Amino acid sequence: MVGYAVQRLLGAIPIWIAITLITFILMNVIPGDPVTQLMDARGGSMDKKVIEQIREEWGLNDPLPLQYLHFIQGFVQGDLGTSYQTRSPVTDLLLERIPVTAQITFLGLIVAIVFGITIGIIGALKRGSWLDSLVSSFSIAGVSLPSFLIGLILMYIFAVKFQLLPASGYASGELKFLILPSITLGLGVCGVIARITRSSMIDILKMDFMTTAYAKGISSWRVVLLHALKNALPPIMTIIGVQMGFLLSGAVITETIFALPGIGRLLVDGILQRDLPTVQGCVVFITSVFLIINLITDIFCRWIDPRIRLDT
Amino acid sequence: MKGKIYRIFLVVMTIMMILSACSNSSSSNSTSGGSDSSESNTKPTYGGKLVRAAIYGDPQNLDPAIRAHGTSTSMITWNIFEPLIRFDAVKGVFNPANAESWKISDDGLVYTFKLRKGVLFHNGREVTAEDFKYSLERVLNPKTASPNAGSLTIIKGAQEFIDGKSKEVSGIKVIDPYNLEITLTKPDNTFLTIMSLPYAAAVPKEVVEEKGEKFGQEPVGAGPFKFKSWIRDSEIVLEGNKEYYGGRPYLDEVVYKIMTDQSTRDNAFASKQLDMMVLGDAQYPKYKNDPTFKNQIIEVPELFTRNLKFNLKKKGPWQDVRVRQAINYAIDRDSIIKAVLQGKAYPAVGILPPTIKGYNKNVTTYKYNPEKAKELLKEAGYEDGFTLKILTTDHPAFGLPAVEALSGYLEKVGIKVKIEQVDFASLLDRVNAGDFDAAMYSNGGQTHPVEYLTRYFHSKYFGASGNTGYYKNEKVDALLDEAAQTTDEDKMISLVQQAEDLIMKDAPWWFFNYNKAVIVHQPWVKGLQPVPTDIDYQDLTKVWIDEKMK
């Protein structure tokens, strides 16, 4: 297992290099000079000489391969460079933002798993009933409604109408700011988990060992949770792993709507302001998270179902 | 049967959601006719917190030398740092600040500032003339990579210092701790404006050196508010400076909530999380037509002129002045402002907005006249029209919606429009590089009419420096140069108006509108003013919270 994990992580190096190289090329291909972005978006002007001096200062006049090489050199030494816009080390910026994104992603995942699996089980047990149709409708709505719309509806109901929760903002350690964003994020993924749970549970419930379990006189909820759900878990876990990527991308929109200082917003701001070091830092981080989550998902599935061979 | 029940349930749920969304959110907000603070009869009281929206995003860095002077940064840094003088944009006068007085030599070259005694940085040290010399040289130092360096090259010896030919700027002289003398390369009556901006304020050398790159994240100045905390992309908190030389501000705390999303701001304002916010075009009618909020709105023609600029460096029909005039006659700007911008703008009579010195309502202007437009096009040899490529962004006020609207008018006189939409960074880049035929843009922010016109129409500022349309008229250059150097204000205004009239006749832009800046505030916020430079640049030392109204 350890050997497998190390092998997978080593295999990720070319992916990291490819992703950073693609990002670097894209950021240099799209129009937009990072120096002129220092101007305010409401108009303004900068002296040509000053622009040239700043470009020189930031090494933007070096040939592109050399610029990329400098980035890789820094990256190997654990230095992701300095943001053009904030003039702070990118590593510091990431460390500031990671907790926020981690919190809403984790809470969003909890919301998605708890709700998704629960209603998926209900759908499977009451298959063909109006309750099952309701679960299916909810799943479709969750998948198809854009997260900004879900966010704004929740904000309107809980913050404006009933004033139970803050409409937006963030304060470290205060859960109330994270409730609405987490639900917004979770509901989008919840539908997918519910649908997979439902179909996976239906397959398992038809199996002979389920009849045996019932015949033994085990209580219904134990049969469902311990026998059926455990066997239905591998496809659900795989989809949860895949959905983590969507949670991370959904965090970009959710963070914007709820004015949360997370990685998503840092990345968007970085792209809009052509702040290459910041964009590269975010991309490296998100890629790493994605690869590690996939690895964990594979290992977990292997642990829960020994029939799955990881090394093939 | 079950299917029927399910369908009925779904219909009921849908109707409930629609009704909930359509109900009037402001009904829970009814307050007894909030009034503009200027009409308030009550005495200002100390204490309280003002929560305001920062709609242009996270300022990234609060070091005034590092960021260009612009709304997202200056609305905060002007409270943390204290320049030598401050400009009261509402009254149009310069007021003493860190300098209690100043003298200008007869030849307009030497400015002597007499500093106030006892002005303290937030770390407790007194501000001296040496601090101003250090701060101005820091902006000019290429190592700082300051976008504001260009503005200070008017100081004698600045260019030599930038080029590394001298160790200090010869034109900045410390006479004694309380007297600072600045010599210019040539007379320039926009210099006082420059000295009133945040990047010309003093920063404490010892703190800058101690904090290094972190200074911009934890700034220390001598202004009326101290920096307290910053949650990136979320909020910045300032606290009232009890040692401020002008007396402690009424407010204990000012919180800037960074909210770029309009719906988020609406919800936060409705749930009273926000005390004040600047309104966007789409939001404007909602608040303007609301019986409660309409009394809690402040409007002002802001110093920004929205325009469609023609690239006169590029060959094309727009090189002919008659074509540019025709375009100005062909478009009904008033209707576009009414229909597309929901009335949240003032039609541009000329270039200078009504809130700047030198505004001339009798300047040569263009009223909607499609027949005259056709006539001019025929004269110019474009009776069958031509295709005009317009570069734009999705900006709601000077972007795609307006371009689509004006396209209709141009098509009526035979000009086909090809729209190219890009993001703002690309627009900035391409306009600065001269890679466009015509571009929809917003220019302004300068408080001095000479600077306003010079920046965008003087040939010395070709390209990224400001004159991105490469407009050149030697008469205009000469008039503006003379206006910059005269010490007689009436003469300066007359020269500016002559220059503006010539530019209007040349029509290097389609003159669209001046931004109508609007603030909506809760009834308990007092002391807000219609600041024309940028309505976000409120003098927060005058703002207070009436707790009784909460």
Side-chain angles (χ1 to χ4, degrees):
Chain A
M1 194 76 85
V2 174
Y4 170 77
V6 170
Q7 191 189 328
R8 278 282 297 264
L9 286 173
L10 286 174
I13 292 171
I15 299 175
W16 266 308
I17 290 173
I19 296 269
T20 54
L21 186 61
I22 291 166
T23 309
F24 181 82
I25 292 167
L26 284 176
M27 287 294 288
N28 277 290
V29 164
I30 53 172
D33 180 46
V35 181
T36 50
Q37 295 311 306
L38 291 176
M39 275 194 253
D40 191 70
R42 304 198 65 189
S45 54
M46 262 170 93
D47 205 77
K48 260 193 223 156
K49 257 189 185 160
V50 174
I51 291 175
E52 206 37 51
Q53 268 157 355
I54 297 175
R55 289 185 66 82
E56 199 56 50
E57 196 65 35
W58 289 352
L60 293 169
N61 289 337
D62 296 342
L64 287 182
L66 191 65
Q67 285 183 45
Y68 182 69
L69 204 67
H70 284 157
F71 164 73
I72 291 290
Q73 270 174 342
F75 180 49
V76 169
Q77 292 158 6
D79 174 16
L80 288 167
T82 303
S83 155
Y84 297 148
Q85 290 287 334
T86 65
R87 313 279 171 104
S88 315
V90 172
T91 319
D92 289 1
L93 294 179
L94 287 172
L95 290 173
E96 271 174 16
R97 310 288 186 121
I98 288 169
V100 180
T101 303
Q103 283 172 58
I104 61 162
T105 309
F106 178 72
L107 289 172
L109 191 65
I110 300 287
V111 168
I113 291 173
V114 170
F115 277 94
I117 291 181
T118 307
I119 63 174
I121 292 172
I122 292 169
L125 294 175
K126 305 282 178 191
R127 143 168 117 254
S129 69
W130 67 271
L131 209 54
D132 184 25
S133 306
L134 192 64
V135 166
S136 297
S137 305
F138 180 81
S139 305
I140 291 165
V143 173
S144 49
L145 277 179
S147 54
F148 73 84
L149 185 63
I150 296 173
L152 290 175
I153 291 170
L154 289 175
M155 203 191 276
Y156 177 76
I157 295 168
F158 293 102
V160 179
K161 205 80 189 155
F162 299 113
Q163 306 207 352
L164 296 170
L165 292 163
S168 58
Y170 177 77
S172 190
E174 287 198 41
L175 189 69
K176 65 180 180 187
F177 288 102
L178 302 173
I179 295 172
L180 291 182
S182 304
I183 295 172
T184 304
L185 205 53
L187 284 182
V189 176
C190 181
V192 180
I193 294 175
R195 283 165 74 179
I196 293 289
T197 306
R198 181 182 171 275
S199 61
S200 186
M201 284 290 284
I202 286 171
D203 290 345
I204 298 293
L205 288 170
K206 285 182 199 157
M207 289 187 174
D208 293 345
F209 74 86
M210 292 304 296
T211 317
T212 312
Y214 278 116
K216 281 181 179 174
I218 303 170
S219 63
S220 297
W221 71 269
R222 283 191 64 144
V223 171
V224 170
L225 292 181
L226 295 180
H227 293 260
L229 185 61
K230 190 184 171 203
N231 286 290
L233 266 185
I236 300 171
M237 286 309 301
T238 309
I239 204 75
I240 288 172
V242 172
Q243 289 302 311
M244 279 298 290
F246 290 102
L247 278 176
L248 275 175
S249 58
V252 175
I253 297 159
T254 310
E255 284 166 11
T256 306
I257 295 168
F258 290 97
L260 292 170
I263 292 281
R265 268 181 91 187
L266 183 68
L267 176 61
V268 171
D269 289 350
I271 292 169
L272 290 175
Q273 292 165 330
R274 306 295 188 265
D275 191 348
L276 180 64
T278 303
V279 173
Q280 287 283 43
C282 292
V283 165
V284 165
F285 171 76
I286 291 169
T287 309
S288 310
V289 170
F290 207 82
L291 289 168
I292 289 165
I293 285 170
N294 276 336
L295 176 64
I296 291 169
T297 308
D298 287 352
I299 291 170
F300 186 80
C301 288
R302 162 82 175 77
W303 174 69
I304 207 158
D305 186 353
R307 289 170 303 176
I308 299 169
R309 296 285 303 275
L310 286 174
D311 46 1
T312 50
Chain B
M1 184 65 196
K2 279 178 182 171
K4 205 171 177 182
I5 292 170
Y6 165 64
R7 278 200 296 274
I8 290 168
F9 176 77
L10 270 188
V11 169
V12 170
M13 282 295 289
T14 311
I15 290 170
M16 276 174 67
M17 273 180 76
I18 291 168
L19 283 176
S20 162
C22 292
S23 67
N24 187 354
S25 66
S26 58
S27 59
S28 61
N29 265 310
S30 57
T31 45
S32 52
S35 62
D36 184 353
S37 41
S38 56
E39 298 164 18
S40 173
N41 297 321
T42 46
K43 247 182 112 206
T45 50
Y46 286 91
K49 178 166 81 169
L50 175 79
V51 184
R52 55 185 301 194
I55 71 171
Y56 302 106
D58 196 87
Q60 307 284 354
N61 195 308
L62 291 174
D63 180 342
I66 298 290
R67 301 288 292 172
H69 165 59
T71 316
S72 61
T73 316
S74 297
M75 69 187 280
I76 301 164
T77 50
W78 242 324
N79 299 298
I80 299 172
F81 299 93
E82 192 67 12
L84 287 162
I85 50 176
R86 283 185 183 266
F87 181 66
D88 181 338
V90 180
K91 296 194 179 100
V93 293
F94 286 104
N95 290 325
N98 209 324
E100 61 183 27
S101 63
W102 60 94
K103 277 202 319 254
I104 307 169
S105 62
D106 292 343
D107 59 5
L109 284 174
V110 185
Y111 287 68
T112 312
F113 296 94
K114 187 171 189 283
L115 271 65
R116 237 177 255 276
K117 286 182 179 157
V119 177
L120 303 178
F121 281 122
H122 300 154
N123 66 349
R125 183 172 70 74
E126 192 182 26
V127 183
T128 66
E130 201 63 59
D131 292 306
F132 277 95
K133 181 174 170 71
Y134 164 76
S135 305
L136 294 169
E137 286 180 348
R138 181 171 169 260
V139 172
L140 286 162
N141 191 333
K143 283 259 171 288
T144 310
S146 171
N148 307 305
S151 311
L152 297 179
T153 50
I154 184 78
I155 299 172
K156 190 177 155 201
Q159 202 54 57
E160 289 83 347
F161 177 75
I162 288 174
D163 298 338
K165 290 174 188 160
S166 63
K167 284 209 157 32
E168 60 173 346
V169 180
S170 60
I172 306 174
K173 222 190 262 163
V174 175
I175 297 167
D176 62 46
Y178 302 105
N179 281 288
L180 180 77
E181 188 184 88
I182 299 178
T183 309
L184 308 186
T185 52
K186 61 175 190 286
D188 187 332
N189 55 29
T190 66
F191 183 65
L192 279 183
T193 305
I194 292 168
M195 294 316 284
S196 71
L197 299 177
Y199 63 80
V203 294
K205 184 180 179 181
E206 67 279 17
V207 182
V208 171
E209 286 176 354
E210 177 206 337
K211 289 187 188 281
E213 280 176 341
K214 276 213 160 18
F215 181 75
Q217 317 302 318
E218 301 156 1
V220 173
F225 288 87
K226 295 178 183 180
F227 172 82
K228 189 178 176 186
S229 65
W230 185 354
I231 301 171
R232 288 227 153 258
D233 253 333
S234 183
E235 65 170 36
I236 291 173
V237 184
L238 308 183
E239 59 182 337
N241 175 11
K242 291 189 170 70
E243 285 79 40
Y244 185 56
Y245 71 86
R248 77 174 254 219
Y250 297 119
L251 296 166
D252 284 342
E253 220 170 63
V254 181
V255 181
Y256 296 84
K257 289 276 183 191
I258 294 145
M259 292 180 177
T260 49
D261 185 76
Q262 192 173 282
S263 312
T264 307
R265 294 197 297 270
D266 276 336
N267 285 325
F269 192 79
S271 60
K272 300 188 178 74
Q273 272 193 316
L274 275 178
D275 291 323
M276 60 176 271
M277 63 175 175
V278 170
L279 292 180
D281 301 358
Q283 294 169 293
Y284 179 59
K286 175 184 160 185
Y287 290 90
K288 184 77 181 168
N289 302 325
D290 184 290
T292 305
F293 292 131
K294 71 175 185 193
N295 301 316
Q296 290 156 216
I297 276 179
I298 300 173
E299 297 180 356
V300 67
E302 220 175 35
L303 300 180
F304 284 92
T305 311
R306 277 78 176 269
N307 62 82
L308 177 77
K309 59 176 78 260
F310 302 101
N311 183 356
L312 301 174
K313 201 175 68 166
K314 246 182 155 178
K315 279 201 168 58
W318 54 89
Q319 287 283 2
D320 191 320
V321 66
R322 289 166 298 187
V323 171
R324 300 195 301 268
Q325 288 171 340
I327 288 172
N328 271 281
Y329 280 120
I331 306 166
D332 184 355
R333 69 171 62 81
D334 297 26
S335 296
I336 296 178
I337 290 168
K338 215 165 152 179
V340 180
L341 306 190
Q342 321 282 340
K344 197 188 155 288
Y346 301 89
V349 178
I351 303 154
L352 298 173
T355 33
I356 199 168
K357 228 177 247 173
Y359 167 71
N360 177 12
K361 64 177 190 301
N362 300 318
V363 73
T364 298
T365 192
Y366 297 90
K367 290 210 161 58
Y368 178 50
N369 188 343
E371 291 315 310
K372 176 109 177 140
K374 282 179 193 165
E375 222 173 275
L376 283 162
L377 284 171
K378 192 177 170 183
E379 258 179 59
Y382 293 101
E383 200 177 354
D384 301 329
F386 60 91
T387 300
L388 180 68
K389 223 161 69 179
I390 298 179
L391 188 68
T392 185
T393 62
D394 62 352
H395 196 285
F398 56 92
L400 193 64
V403 173
E404 282 172 337
L406 70 87
S407 304
Y409 286 106
L410 291 181
E411 303 235 342
K412 280 183 191 162
V413 297
I415 301 171
K416 283 193 176 56
V417 173
K418 214 170 137 194
I419 302 172
E420 189 184 354
Q421 192 197 322
V422 292
D423 71 324
F424 200 84
S426 304
L427 180 89
L428 208 62
D429 205 39
R430 287 184 53 183
V431 166
N432 284 333
D435 178 18
F436 69 101
D437 294 350
M440 198 72 172
Y441 213 73
S442 171
N443 290 104
Q446 289 77 14
T447 53
H448 198 291
V450 174
E451 199 189 353
Y452 208 100
L453 295 183
T454 304
R455 186 54 74 175
Y456 307 116
F457 300 103
H458 197 296
S459 64
K460 71 177 173 185
Y461 283 129
F462 273 167
S465 311
N467 185 350
T468 44
Y470 290 87
Y471 168 75
K472 185 176 169 65
N473 179 332
E474 277 164 13
K475 272 189 193 156
V476 169
D477 285 357
L479 285 164
L480 291 175
D481 285 339
E482 197 184 341
Q485 294 182 33
T486 181
T487 48
D488 176 348
E489 188 166 289
D490 292 342
K491 190 180 171 193
M492 181 270 288
I493 286 174
S494 156
L495 292 163
V496 160
Q497 291 182 341
Q498 288 173 56
E500 183 187 28
D501 206 66
L502 284 175
I503 300 165
M504 290 303 292
K505 285 187 175 112
D506 286 340
W509 294 354
W510 166 62
F511 305 95
F512 183 19
N513 69 54
Y514 314 121
N515 181 31
K516 182 192 279 186
V518 185
I519 271 186
V520 63
H521 61 88
Q522 305 285 11
W524 51 80
V525 181
K526 307 291 179 188
L528 296 173
Q529 293 182 299
V531 186
T533 29
D534 193 315
I535 204 157
D536 260 322
Y537 296 156
Q538 291 292 327
D539 178 356
L540 294 179
T541 58
K542 292 189 171 79
V543 178
W544 57 284
I545 301 290
D546 189 348
E547 295 288 349
K548 289 199 289 285
M549 292 192 77
K550 268 191 163 180

